[in-house]
Amino acid sequence: MFERLRAIPISSEPLNLLGASAVYILLLIFPPAPYISQAVNQSGWIILLLLAVYFGLLFRKKGATWAGIQSISVFALFALLLIHQWQSADSYGEIVSGLLPWSDAASYLGEAQRLIHGSLFTTWGGGHRPLFPAFLAVLVQLTGRNFMVTLALLTWVNALALLLVVREVERNYGALGAIFLLLFATEFYIRFAGTTMTEQLGFALGNLAVFFLLIGAQNKSLIHALLGLGLLSLALNARAGAFFILPMLVLWMAITLRPKFVLWRTLGLAITVAALPFILDFILLKTLADPQSVLFSNYSTTLYGLASGNKGFAQVNTDYPNIPESEVMPLAIQKIRSDPALLLRGMLGCYLDFFKPDDGVFTYISSGSFRATVNIFLWGLTLIGLAYGILNWKEGIHTLVLASFIGIFASVALLPPIDANYMRAYAATIPFTALWVAEGGGALISRGKKLLKLKEESSIEEITTPVERLAIGFSVLLVILAVPAPILLQSLARTSNGSALPSAQTTCMPGEQSLQGSVLKNIRVALIPNEASNESYMPFIRIDDFLRAVRKVSGQYSYLYKELVGLQAGQQISVGFDPTIGNEWLISSFPVEARKLSACGKVSDNQELRPYSFYYLNGPSVRPSSLTISQQNPSATHMFRLLYGLGAGIILLLLVMDISDFKTGSIPNQLYAFVAIILVLQGVFVVLYSRAVIHLPFAEQQITLQVKDAVPEQKNLYILPLGINWMSQADLGSSPAVVYENGIPLALPNSKPKGISNDGNGRYSVSGGYLYFASSDNTDPRFNGRTYELAWPHPIQPVLQWLSYLVSLLGMAMLFFRESLTGTVKALRIKFKQRQVQL
């Protein structure tokens, strides 16, 4: 078994947590430079590799001090995910301008506010899944109804849950397993940082479940295994997903713990614990939701799509437009009865999607054009891990991996990956997929050590009491906040409010409507002039940053884009709540205070936005009295950024000195280490330069485009080959390339091809070695007589990039395997001398 030696126990975990939390808060107040958070958020495989190297070096270190640095690093990583949203004002399916909830996220926040006002959940959001909106309501209330603090707390919860499980995986699988779990979790969570989606709670509980299950498997502890099973069941109730993993884990517990515990008792306890969260969820439903609500009722659309041959949950709206949800399940059952073979074909399609090399189970991992290769590699490690687990089936930790794979695999037939939206429906079980890969990687390392006749590590450190108590206390707190606390909150809200009715209406002018309800603190985006601040940071967003970010919704939510793109500096967007109608989008030229809302507003002329309650409030223009602390104090912000860089540099220096044995004082060792570090650093430089993280003004290239070679596509879209795959939006997320038309930059970079085709007007993107663009007035760029130029960092040819990466890998190998290389050289010398003697 691939395990590592006993180390100094970590007994200062609570103190480490306080320190990590302090750094987390400091980062949110004085954020690092935007390009740093952007690089981490839009990572890609190269940035993931750099993170893997850093944390790989870090997790090798033992002792309380290094444990504290590990905690700080994990919390800082998650802080950067949230900071990116607040710096970039990013917009996509669940969030607008980096803060304001949209689509499902808006629904869950609205349901939480219903509970705060003493109302019942509706049959939709809260009626489907009451656990998360109930939990969210309690958090909102505990933070003094401060929305940004609530989002920061949700990210903090996930960082702590991940830190605990990473520590446990590192105990069992070493640094490699910890890296896999950390990077998998980070890549999955990127989409949900700063949102009010159910994945926030489901993912955190899923990580905690793996923490306790690993302890239960390693120590054959029934209590820990039951804790893990219960938390996983609760996670699946918070974010429905691969439910069949629960019966598989029940069987795993009965079989694995049989030598120590009576079989039928273990089965009975496991079944009870697995069923308890369903009972608690049902109690929440009956207590907090509309009496007509049914748990997981929205699954009916997924079942209909599955019964239609795996066509997706939207198929029912294609066949029956505007059909009520209550009528979907009977149609799905009727479809299954009329053509069972179509359902079987749909289930088979689910498995084909699950194993797709360019999609499938690992699709949430950013790998750009290498997605298929990365997926095949990860599936290869998974298969190796499963084979290793079968060969070592008597050990509980290996059978845990096997049981989790079988349970998730069995669930795929009823949980179509095409409906999972980059596997988000599998949120509660994502940590298990990292275990599959860690098992395979550990198996290869174990086999490699045997082949090289290296010393096999045979024992692992014990879990310390402070860590275990922290995990148990944290888990209990989450359960309390998710189940009994919401019931108490609603009871208190009904008592204090008397009713959920809004306050008395105000008198409004003709054409205006009376708006009632409330507004949370810090749930607004204030658009400021570009010159008002050097950077955007929530809630004060520079107008250019806002317009650039909101273009991302121009395809899926074009009606929303058309409304928001017309806003100007000085206006603000707030989200209010009225118990009778739900969320209200309030656009004003003055701050909407966090209090009971009583105002007059004119509804938007955009007919498609009418269901979303968009209102323009009348009132005098009032500029913000102050900006954020970091915006008001750029010098202090710069100082903290220097301190962040200095701290990171010192940590890296100590790590490299340790692994290279630079501090021994031996001149050959120091020379060896110096050469290895130079080899690594040149690769790091090329990585950062090619990812547009490092900007070198003197290395900019501006070329004239031969637009006569452009190929016309649909409508306004033209495609021009660039001759090199460089600064690709597909790999970077946001390309720094700028296209000039007669010396004037086109206004809409990094647009999607669909938007370029449909809307044009200067939209463009650089991706995969091609320029996708439209002229500023949608004329044919081949014949409109204008000159088009492209400016970007001077390209490095792919061959040279790969050569640089290979040299860097050689340098890392020299650092990581210094002892092995030295030993091999010595062994070869001895053999050579022995052969000379024989001759």
Side-chain angles (χ1 to χ4, degrees):
M1 176 161 177
F2 37 91
E3 298 155 344
R4 56 183 184 72
L5 295 172
R6 182 184 303 273
I8 300 173
I10 301 169
S11 58
S12 56
E13 194 65 29
L15 186 60
N16 290 339
L17 177 60
L18 288 176
S21 300
V23 172
Y24 178 83
I25 295 171
L26 185 63
L27 285 168
L28 294 182
I29 296 175
F30 293 99
Y35 70 85
I36 294 177
S37 63
Q38 180 181 3
V40 173
N41 196 278
Q42 300 173 350
S43 50
W45 70 272
I46 296 180
I47 300 299
L48 285 179
L49 181 60
L50 292 177
L51 289 174
V53 172
Y54 170 74
F55 281 102
L57 294 172
L58 189 59
F59 287 136
R60 290 164 57 98
K61 301 294 294 180
K62 313 303 174 200
T65 301
W66 285 106
I69 295 175
Q70 292 168 7
S71 301
I72 290 172
S73 297
V74 172
F75 274 80
L77 178 61
F78 267 53
L80 289 174
L81 303 184
L82 181 60
I83 288 169
H84 172 72
Q85 302 285 15
W86 292 355
Q87 286 180 323
S88 67
D90 204 3
S91 299
Y92 51 91
E94 288 77 34
I95 192 171
V96 173
S97 194
L99 179 71
L100 307 177
W102 184 256
S103 188
D104 290 358
S107 173
Y108 293 124
L109 178 61
E111 297 295 291
Q113 293 194 79
R114 287 184 186 280
L115 184 59
I116 292 173
H117 286 81
S119 301
L120 295 175
F121 292 152
T122 63
T123 55
W124 202 82
H128 289 164
R129 303 170 189 163
L131 203 59
F132 176 70
F135 174 78
L136 180 61
V138 175
L139 284 190
V140 170
Q141 193 70 1
L142 288 176
T143 59
R145 303 192 183 187
N146 190 315
F147 186 60
M148 288 181 64
V149 174
T150 300
L151 295 178
L153 190 55
L154 282 171
T155 304
W156 182 91
V157 164
N158 276 276
L160 177 54
L162 177 62
L163 175 64
L164 290 170
V165 72
V166 163
R167 287 276 173 78
E168 185 56 30
V169 169
E170 195 268 339
R171 286 198 322 118
N172 291 277
Y173 291 95
L176 180 67
I179 290 169
F180 277 129
L181 181 63
L182 178 67
L183 296 186
F184 278 37
T186 302
E187 281 292 282
F188 181 80
Y189 187 74
I190 280 175
R191 292 176 293 160
F192 307 109
T195 70
T196 51
M197 297 292 290
T198 57
E199 286 78 8
Q200 291 270 17
L201 182 58
F203 188 56
L205 291 173
N207 278 300
L208 289 171
V210 172
F211 172 84
F212 287 110
L213 286 169
L214 285 173
I215 297 176
Q218 186 63 46
N219 301 337
K220 295 191 182 301
S221 168
L222 179 61
I223 296 297
H224 289 95
L226 289 174
L227 277 172
L229 181 65
L231 288 170
L232 182 59
S233 181
L234 195 66
L236 287 167
N237 275 273
R239 204 311 168 203
F243 283 107
F244 288 163
I245 194 175
L246 295 177
M248 284 307 306
L249 290 180
V250 168
L251 291 175
W252 166 78
M253 289 177 58
I255 295 172
T256 303
L257 304 179
R258 185 177 180 183
K260 292 182 66 174
F261 303 97
V262 179
L263 177 63
W264 68 267
R265 289 182 180 177
T266 304
L267 274 174
L269 284 172
I271 293 172
T272 301
V273 168
L276 182 60
F278 289 88
I279 297 172
L280 296 176
D281 204 12
F282 184 75
I283 291 173
L284 283 179
L285 182 77
K286 293 302 178 183
T287 306
L288 306 179
D290 185 286
Q292 303 300 318
S293 301
V294 179
L295 282 176
F296 314 125
S297 58
N298 57 334
Y299 180 74
S300 59
T301 58
T302 297
L303 183 60
Y304 184 92
L306 194 59
S308 302
N310 193 32
K311 291 187 177 181
F313 67 90
Q315 183 62 34
V316 68
N317 291 323
T318 301
D319 296 344
Y320 302 94
N322 302 319
I323 185 175
E325 184 184 273
S326 59
E327 298 178 15
V328 177
M329 184 60 75
L331 289 173
I333 294 174
Q334 179 184 350
K335 201 171 190 65
I336 294 172
R337 287 176 176 174
S338 61
D339 192 354
L342 194 58
L343 174 64
L344 294 176
R345 192 186 310 164
M347 290 180 170
L348 177 61
C350 292
Y351 285 110
L352 293 176
D353 292 339
F354 190 71
F355 287 104
K356 276 184 178 179
D358 59 344
D359 206 351
V361 66
F362 301 112
T363 186
Y364 58 89
I365 298 175
S366 299
S367 45
S369 56
F370 294 93
R371 172 175 289 181
T373 304
V374 170
N375 273 262
I376 291 172
F377 171 72
L378 295 177
W379 266 117
L381 288 180
T382 298
L383 295 176
I384 293 171
L386 294 176
Y388 188 88
I390 293 172
L391 294 174
N392 296 272
W393 61 272
K394 291 185 179 181
E395 298 185 43
I397 193 169
H398 301 302
T399 52
L400 172 63
V401 173
L402 290 173
S404 69
F405 179 83
I406 295 171
I408 294 173
F409 185 77
S411 303
V412 172
L414 297 176
L415 194 60
I418 63 170
D419 285 351
N421 190 5
Y422 291 94
M423 304 308 289
R424 85 177 222 208
Y426 290 78
T429 52
I430 287 295
F432 288 101
T433 63
L435 286 187
W436 305 345
V437 179
E439 182 90 354
L444 289 178
I445 290 176
S446 179
R447 181 61 179 169
K449 286 182 177 180
K450 289 180 180 179
L451 290 175
L452 295 174
K453 296 181 179 180
L454 299 177
K455 185 178 179 181
E456 187 76 15
E457 299 166 346
S458 58
S459 62
I460 63 172
E461 67 178 23
E462 297 178 357
I463 185 73
T464 59
T465 301
V467 175
E468 187 176 358
R469 286 178 177 174
L470 174 63
I472 293 174
F474 180 50
S475 302
V476 170
L477 177 62
L478 291 183
V479 173
I480 291 173
L481 295 179
V483 183
I487 297 175
L488 177 62
L489 175 62
Q490 190 205 45
S491 176
L492 294 175
R494 284 183 176 274
T495 302
S496 60
N497 294 342
S499 69
L501 295 176
S503 57
Q505 295 187 354
T506 56
T507 302
C508 299
M509 299 293 290
E512 295 181 339
Q513 295 184 20
S514 176
L515 306 177
Q516 306 297 322
S518 63
V519 179
L520 300 177
K521 296 177 184 177
N522 288 326
I523 192 168
R524 67 187 178 109
V525 173
L527 306 181
I528 60 175
N530 296 323
E531 61 274 12
S533 175
N534 293 329
E535 297 174 1
S536 295
Y537 197 55
M538 204 60 63
F540 302 103
I541 304 300
R542 300 166 78 244
I543 185 63
D544 280 357
D545 293 336
F546 171 78
L547 295 176
R548 186 182 303 112
V550 82
R551 295 186 191 110
K552 292 186 178 182
V553 300
S554 61
Q556 185 178 7
Y557 301 109
S558 58
Y559 53 89
L560 175 63
Y561 167 72
K562 291 176 181 177
E563 189 75 20
L564 297 180
V565 77
L567 300 183
Q568 299 177 352
Q571 292 184 294
Q572 301 188 29
I573 314 170
S574 306
V575 177
F577 177 78
D578 183 339
T580 60
I581 62 175
N583 295 320
E584 298 172 325
W585 285 67
L586 312 172
I587 300 175
S588 63
S589 56
F590 54 88
V592 177
E593 300 297 333
R595 54 179 171 78
K596 287 187 176 180
L597 175 66
S598 181
C600 296
K602 180 183 178 182
V603 69
S604 169
D605 295 330
N606 189 331
Q607 294 296 323
E608 292 180 282
L609 277 180
R610 292 294 175 91
Y612 299 93
S613 303
F614 263 69
Y615 296 96
Y616 287 82
L617 305 185
N618 288 327
S621 297
V622 179
R623 299 187 108 186
S625 58
S626 63
L627 301 175
T628 65
I629 295 176
S630 62
Q631 290 172 323
Q632 291 183 75
N633 301 278
S635 298
T637 303
H638 183 66
M639 181 193 71
F640 276 106
R641 289 174 178 177
L642 290 176
L643 292 176
Y644 298 153
L646 180 62
I650 291 173
I651 292 172
L652 284 172
L653 179 62
L654 292 175
L655 288 172
V656 171
M657 288 178 62
D658 177 76
I659 197 171
S660 63
D661 208 17
F662 191 87
K663 56 188 177 183
T664 60
S666 167
I667 294 178
N669 273 349
Q670 292 179 350
L671 182 61
Y672 177 95
F674 179 77
V675 172
I677 291 170
I678 292 298
L679 295 180
V680 172
L681 288 179
Q682 62 81 29
V684 172
F685 173 81
V686 171
V687 166
L688 297 178
Y689 177 77
S690 63
R691 304 294 299 184
V693 175
I694 293 179
H695 302 274
L696 302 175
F698 59 85
E700 291 289 318
Q701 181 190 59
Q702 188 160 331
I703 57 176
T704 300
L705 299 172
Q706 302 301 316
V707 290
K708 66 179 186 303
D709 298 328
V711 178
E713 289 291 323
Q714 295 180 351
K715 300 181 181 178
N716 304 306
L717 175 62
Y718 291 81
I719 301 178
L720 179 67
L722 298 173
I724 184 173
N725 186 4
W726 179 249
M727 293 296 138
S728 172
Q729 182 183 354
D731 295 327
L732 304 182
S734 180
S735 174
V738 178
V739 176
Y740 292 88
E741 183 183 68
N742 281 350
I744 300 174
L746 293 179
L748 302 169
N750 296 300
S751 299
K752 294 182 179 180
K754 184 178 180 180
I756 301 172
S757 175
N758 292 337
D759 301 315
N761 295 327
R763 288 172 170 79
Y764 68 93
S765 65
V766 173
S767 185
Y770 293 89
L771 171 65
Y772 300 80
F773 75 112
S775 64
S776 59
D777 57 358
N778 294 336
T779 56
D780 190 333
R782 299 173 300 172
F783 307 111
N784 62 13
R786 299 168 193 167
T787 300
Y788 291 85
E789 296 174 301
L790 173 67
W792 58 7
H794 199 287
I796 301 177
Q797 292 298 322
V799 173
L800 296 178
Q801 289 184 55
W802 281 108
L803 180 61
S804 172
Y805 300 155
L806 290 174
V807 171
S808 187
L809 288 174
L810 174 62
M812 285 189 283
M814 290 172 64
L815 291 174
F816 276 104
F817 304 110
R818 180 183 57 82
E819 294 181 1
S820 300
L821 290 172
T822 304
T824 302
V825 171
K826 288 181 179 179
L828 290 174
R829 285 179 179 176
I830 292 173
K831 288 183 179 181
F832 179 74
K833 289 181 179 180
Q834 289 175 347
R835 179 163 294 186
Q836 280 185 325
V837 171
Q838 292 174 357
L839 292 175

